Amino acid sequence: MNDIVNRRICFAQRPSGQPTADVFAIAVNEVALPSDGQILCRNLLVSVDPYLRLKMHDRESYTPPLEIGKQIPGGTIAQVVSSRHDDWKAGDLVAIPGGWQNYAVVPGKSATRVDTERAPLEAWLGPLGMTGYTAYAGLLSMGHPKAGETIIVSAAAGAVGSLAGQIGKALGCRVVGIAGSDTKCKTVVETFGFDACIDYRSSTFEDDLRAASPDGYDIYFDNVGGQISFSVQKQMKLFGRIIVCGLISQYSGQNDLDPKSLDEYMRWILVRRLAIRGFIVSDLARNHPEFHETVAGWLKNGQVRLETTLYYGFDQIIPAFLAMLEGRNTGKSIIRIAEAA
Ligand SMILES: NC(=O)c1ccc[n+]([C@@H]2O[C@H](COP(=O)([O-])OP(=O)(O)OC[C@H]3O[C@@H](n4cnc5c(N)ncnc54)[C@H](OP(=O)(O)O)[C@@H]3O)[C@@H](O)[C@H]2O)c1
C-alpha cells in the first residue's frame, strides 16, 4: 500500500429498463503498488460507453455480465505514476482499461502510448481510440465501401456514428445520417459534413429515408437496431451490406418491433439479397495497422473532427453515462477527472 486513496464506482444493482444513478455505488480503497509487469496510473479522462448497459443484464452476450459489487470497467486516458514495466516510466501518458476510478493498476502491456503532439488527449478516447477504430475497422472490414456508394448511419450524431459517416465521406461516399432530433440532424450535416440527416422521431421518417436516397442505400452502419433499422432495411439496394455495430435501442430491454416483423425482416433479406454482419471491435484488432496514421491525418486536414460532450469531475461520470444512454450527447462523451501533472 502507498497511502493513495482511490474512489471507485461499482455496480450496486441490476436495473430494469433505463438505468438510474442507484445502479451504482461509490467505494474507497487504498491503491496497491504495481507488481512486476504492472503500472500504477492516475486516470485523467474517463470514457462512458453503451456496452456497459449490455453488461448489466445477467445473460449471455459477447462480454460477460457485470457482477454486483464489482468495479465498473471502461477506457481511460491516464498518466503513469509508477512503473514496473520496461516500456513505461512515471509521467508517460497512456490509454488503458482504467475503469471508473481515480487510480488503476494495470498490466503495462495493456497500455498504448498517447501522443499529444499528434492530437489532443480527448482524441485518444474518440477518433484515435476504441471509438474511432470501431467506426474505421467496422466500415472498412465489414462494409467494404467504394467511392460513389451511399452509406446510411444510425446514431449519426454520436461517437461511433459521427465518425463512421465522416470516414465514409473521406473515402468518397455519399453519407446520410439518422439522429434523434432536428438539432442533432443540423449538427450531423453542418458539423460532421454528412450529405443529409433524418430525424427518426419525425412522423415522416420512412418517407424521408426514401427521399434522402431515392435509389436506396448500399451500406447501413447500424448502431441502434429495432424499428429504425427495420425501416432502413426496406430501403437497401440489391446486394446491400448491413453492418451491425450496435443495437442501443434494445439495450435496456425495450422491444419496439411487432413479433411478426421477424418474418418481414427475413423476407426483405431475401428480396434485396442483403448481407448482414455483426462485429465486435476486438475481432478486427489486427486488420488496420494504418489506422492511427490515416485518422490522425484526417484530423489534421479537417476531414474528421474531434467532437466531444465534455464533463468535469469524478461526480459527473454517472450522470454522463445516463445522459449518453438518453441521447443527451453529441460526439464522444468524456469526463475529465484530473489534470496531467
Ligand atoms: N461493435 C462494437 O465493437 C462496438 C464498439 C463501440 C460501440 N458500439 C456500439 O455503437 C453504438 C454507438 O455507441 P457510441 O459509444 O458511439 O454511443 P453514442 O452514439 O455516442 O451515444 C449513444 C446514442 O444512441 C442514441 N440512442 C439512444 N437510445 C436510442 C434509441 N432508443 N433509439 C435510437 N437511438 C438511440 C442516442 O442518439 P439519438 O439522440 O440520435 O437518439 C445517443 O446519443 C452503440 O450501439 C454501441 O453499443 C459497438
Side-chain angles (χ1 to χ4, degrees):
M1 297 293 175
N2 55 13
D3 294 336
I4 298 179
V5 174
N6 183 37
R7 273 197 302 166
R8 301 184 292 134
I9 300 176
C10 298
F11 187 42
Q13 55 178 321
R14 295 195 193 285
S16 75
Q18 204 74 348
T20 47
D22 58 4
V23 162
F24 304 100
I26 310 282
V28 176
N29 68 308
E30 244 176 62
V31 177
L33 288 169
S35 314
D36 262 359
Q38 292 184 321
I39 50 178
L40 165 63
C41 302
R42 183 175 189 223
N43 283 331
L44 308 175
L45 303 182
V46 174
S47 171
V48 289
D49 297 274
Y51 77 93
L52 290 171
R53 177 63 188 94
L54 268 186
K55 284 176 80 68
M56 291 176 182
H57 295 285
D58 189 12
R59 68 176 185 214
E60 187 184 341
S61 185
Y62 63 83
T63 169
L66 282 170
E67 286 174 42
I68 303 293
K70 288 285 165 68
Q71 149 90 56
I72 304 291
T76 63
I77 303 300
Q79 188 163 36
V80 177
V81 175
S82 63
S83 170
R84 291 192 58 190
H85 187 282
D86 288 346
D87 290 351
W88 306 110
K89 59 178 189 325
D92 285 345
L93 293 169
V94 286
I96 54 166
W100 292 10
Q101 57 183 339
N102 297 116
Y103 291 89
V105 176
V106 297
K109 65 175 194 266
S110 71
T112 53
R113 196 167 299 280
V114 163
D115 177 0
T116 48
E117 307 232 315
R118 221 172 188 191
L121 271 193
E122 288 81 3
W124 297 87
L125 283 183
L128 297 176
M130 181 277 277
T131 298
Y133 195 70
T134 301
Y136 183 91
L139 185 59
L140 269 72
S141 286
M142 301 286 112
H144 309 290
K146 293 178 220 40
E149 288 190 320
T150 303
I151 304 174
I152 183 155
V153 181
S154 52
V160 172
S162 61
L163 288 164
Q166 292 174 89
I167 291 165
K169 287 296 294 176
L171 297 173
C173 298
R174 180 164 186 273
V175 180
V176 175
I178 299 173
S181 69
D182 262 359
T183 314
K184 279 198 177 184
C185 282
K186 210 163 170 246
T187 305
V188 166
V189 172
E190 291 177 4
T191 304
F192 297 127
F194 287 42
D195 296 284
C197 184
I198 301 157
D199 176 359
Y200 66 80
R201 291 197 164 97
S202 159
S203 57
T204 55
F205 174 56
E206 291 211 355
D207 293 339
D208 298 343
L209 269 179
R210 202 170 304 116
S213 186
D215 294 336
Y217 299 95
D218 297 283
I219 299 174
Y220 175 32
F221 193 102
D222 187 7
N223 288 309
V224 304
Q227 183 60 49
I228 295 169
S229 299
F230 188 45
S231 301
V232 173
Q233 191 212 24
K234 292 181 264 184
Q235 306 294 333
M236 296 299 291
K237 287 186 188 175
L238 276 189
F239 306 106
R241 292 92 82 194
I242 297 182
I243 306 164
V244 183
C245 174
L247 303 171
I248 195 168
S249 75
Q250 312 297 299
Y251 288 176
S252 287
Q254 314 92 319
N255 182 4
D256 56 0
L257 285 170
D258 182 315
K260 285 201 201 99
S261 54
L262 181 60
D263 293 340
E264 264 300 275
Y265 194 80
M266 296 306 287
R267 190 171 80 79
W268 281 101
I269 293 174
L270 181 64
V271 171
R272 295 276 198 262
R273 283 84 112 189
L274 300 176
I276 303 182
R277 180 79 195 270
F279 79 97
I280 296 303
V281 60
S282 50
D283 303 337
L284 312 177
R286 291 173 192 282
N287 284 25
H288 296 285
E290 80 290 358
F291 163 70
H292 276 121
E293 206 175 324
T294 304
V295 178
W298 286 336
L299 266 173
K300 202 159 241 165
N301 72 17
Q303 281 179 285
V304 165
R305 284 179 64 107
L306 170 60
E307 192 71 25
T308 56
T309 298
L310 264 185
Y311 298 80
Y312 294 89
F314 186 90
D315 295 341
Q316 292 303 306
I317 297 175
I318 295 169
F321 175 68
L322 301 177
M324 180 273 300
L325 289 181
E326 290 166 10
R328 286 184 282 121
N329 68 305
T330 302
K332 177 73 192 136
S333 300
I334 294 175
I335 309 89
R336 185 177 272 276
I337 63 167
E339 299 299 326

